[in-house]
Amino acid sequence: MALVTKIKAYRERVGMKQTELAERVNARRETIVHLESGKYNPSLKLAMDIAKVFGTTVEELFEFTD
């Protein structure tokens, strides 16, 4: 299974830079880069924090595909 994220689309829709998102969720910019490229699976807390920033659900931002 692979994790697909919509973080980049949500972030770009509101004009937010990776650095800004990282600061808002107390993570490193590199973590956001890896999340957006599918190279990193976030902790539940991080996933929830990111969803909260965008006013959406974890299920909307993250999806597992076969």
Side-chain angles (χ1 to χ4, degrees), residues 17 20 22 27-28 32 37 47 53 61:
K17 296 189 180 292
E20 183 182 348
R28 295 176 47 203
I32 304 303
S37 66
V53 166
L61 282 179

Side-chain angles (χ1 to χ4, degrees), residues 10-59:
Y10 270 79
R11 184 178 55 74
E12 289 178 342
R13 190 178 308 152
V14 297
M16 185 181 294
K17 296 189 180 292
Q18 290 173 331
T19 304
E20 183 182 348
L21 177 57
E23 289 172 358
R24 292 183 68 177
V25 297
N26 198 27
R28 295 176 47 203
R29 186 191 63 82
E30 292 81 3
T31 301
I32 304 303
V33 170
H34 291 303
L35 281 170
E36 290 183 354
S37 66
K39 295 180 181 177
Y40 178 75
N41 292 339
S43 67
L44 180 56
K45 180 181 181 336
L46 180 56
M48 292 177 76
D49 288 346
I50 293 170
K52 187 175 182 180
V53 166
F54 296 118
T56 190
T57 64
V58 172
E59 294 85 1

